Amino acid sequence: MHEFYSHLPLNKGAIVSKRKRQTESLTLRIDKELLDKLRKESEQKMVSMNTLTNLIIKSYTKWYSPAQRAEIMFVPKSVLIAIIDNLADYQMESVADKFRKSGYEETLLMMSKEYSLPVILDLFDSWLNVSNMQFNRESSEDSLTYIINHGVGKKWSLFLENVFWYMVKDLGITGARFDVTESTVTIKINLKQ
């Protein structure tokens, strides 16, 4: 069985650059009830209040705020499963193609101001995190592997496979391999072109 992590950096240099970021202090007044909830969550997650607060702010600025501007909606998992269970496998390919044609590149540009593999992967990781999907991302200079455990069903696996295939194809990346099961998608990309 694979061990899943919420995020692994693309390269070792990414770890160093994150540690060198400058910080500033900020004093905030927070409703006591909210603060109590944050304290409880920080204890449950075994992280400091500072770390939890930074994660919340990062999630808001990297995902929630741009997602609203890009008109991304949140749908309960039970509703998503009910909808996609009524589609045939070939229709999932069609849905992925419609997603591509509806302007996913423009959506990504609106959310990040750039369309490149590192930016796409960063947004993809953010989406997986806010969607509460377990994943493992391993990378080296030559390859990138994602293992995504979504638990939504085979048709969702097919959708993810097709969406990611369009993205790597549009970026001119060849050598991508996909393996789908009922609840997982494995994506392997050869970065050495």
Side-chain angles (χ1 to χ4, degrees), residues 20-174:
K20 291 183 180 181
R21 288 187 179 159
Q22 291 183 349
T23 62
E24 289 186 31
S25 294
L26 173 67
T27 302
L28 298 171
R29 298 199 58 80
I30 300 174
D31 181 272
K32 183 178 179 345
E33 188 177 318
L34 291 174
L35 191 55
D36 290 342
K37 287 179 181 181
L38 286 174
R39 283 187 181 115
K40 185 175 181 179
E41 186 167 342
S42 104
E43 288 173 16
Q44 289 172 342
K45 292 186 176 187
M46 296 189 298
V47 297
S48 70
M49 282 289 289
N50 189 64
T51 299
L52 180 61
T53 305
N54 274 290
L55 287 171
I56 291 167
I57 293 169
K58 182 178 179 182
S59 290
Y60 178 80
T61 57
K62 287 185 74 171
W63 180 260
Y64 291 102
S65 180
Q68 289 173 352
R69 289 191 305 275
E71 298 182 346
I72 294 174
M73 294 175 47
F74 294 95
V75 177
K77 193 174 188 178
S78 60
V79 173
L80 179 63
I81 291 170
I83 291 169
I84 63 175
D85 277 351
N86 288 308
L87 300 174
D89 290 356
Y90 75 90
Q91 289 175 304
M92 291 310 295
E93 292 177 27
S94 176
V95 170
D97 188 46
K98 285 179 184 172
F99 172 68
R100 174 184 179 232
K101 289 177 181 173
S102 71
Y104 77 85
E105 184 174 342
E106 289 80 10
T107 300
L108 290 170
L109 283 169
M110 183 173 199
M111 291 182 73
S112 67
K113 311 291 187 257
E114 184 183 337
Y115 188 74
S116 65
L117 186 61
V119 168
I120 289 170
L121 295 177
D122 192 42
L123 285 171
F124 190 56
D125 288 357
S126 295
W127 174 69
L128 290 169
N129 279 319
V130 300
S131 300
N132 202 26
M133 289 189 222
Q134 296 177 323
F135 70 99
N136 181 13
R137 180 173 94 175
E138 296 177 8
S139 60
S140 68
E141 289 182 23
D142 299 339
S143 67
L144 171 70
T145 301
Y146 268 95
I147 302 169
I148 305 161
N149 183 356
H150 55 77
V152 181
K154 179 80 177 241
K155 292 175 185 171
W156 188 251
S157 292
L158 294 172
F159 174 76
L160 289 177
E161 173 189 24
N162 282 286
V163 166
F164 213 89
W165 181 82
Y166 285 129
M167 287 181 187
V168 296
K169 181 182 173 217
D170 289 348
L171 289 168
I173 297 170
T174 58

